[in-house]
Amino acid sequence: MPREIITLQVGQCGNQIGSEFWKRLTLEHGIGPDGILAEYAGERVDDRKDVFFYRADDGRYIPRALLIDLEPRVVNKIS
């Protein structure tokens, strides 16, 4: 049974820490900044990308994250 994790990033500090978390997670799973899976990563059976990422119909991987901040500049810098 697949499990899904959604991250909740609140405030400037939460969003900055969350941004670093997602950078490392995408590198670990071989997902590029555009959401496309790198060729070296491949589709391994034991690699559970679906826990943190949603796979869109076009094959891109989208992070399961909710970013909240009262100042849009922090979130805009991450997006």
Side-chain angles (χ1 to χ4, degrees):
M1 179 177 191
R3 304 262 191 257
E4 298 170 352
I5 297 175
I6 300 173
T7 61
L8 177 64
Q9 301 167 203
V10 180
Q12 182 174 358
C13 181
N15 282 310
Q16 289 173 341
I17 292 171
S19 175
E20 290 302 314
F21 169 77
W22 285 106
K23 283 180 190 176
R24 293 181 187 273
L25 199 62
T26 54
L27 285 173
E28 180 180 322
H29 289 287
I31 299 172
D34 55 355
I36 303 294
L37 189 63
E39 290 193 26
Y40 68 86
E43 291 290 335
R44 295 187 348 222
V45 175
D46 63 340
D47 190 9
R48 299 292 312 271
K49 293 176 189 65
D50 60 335
V51 172
F52 287 103
F53 296 94
Y54 167 74
R55 186 170 184 180
D57 293 335
D58 62 356
R60 292 184 310 125
Y61 286 91
I62 301 169
R64 298 179 193 270
L66 182 60
L67 287 66
I68 301 171
D69 200 338
L70 295 176
E71 293 185 31
R73 64 183 170 87
V74 176
V75 176
N76 289 342
K77 184 178 179 184
I78 294 171
S79 301

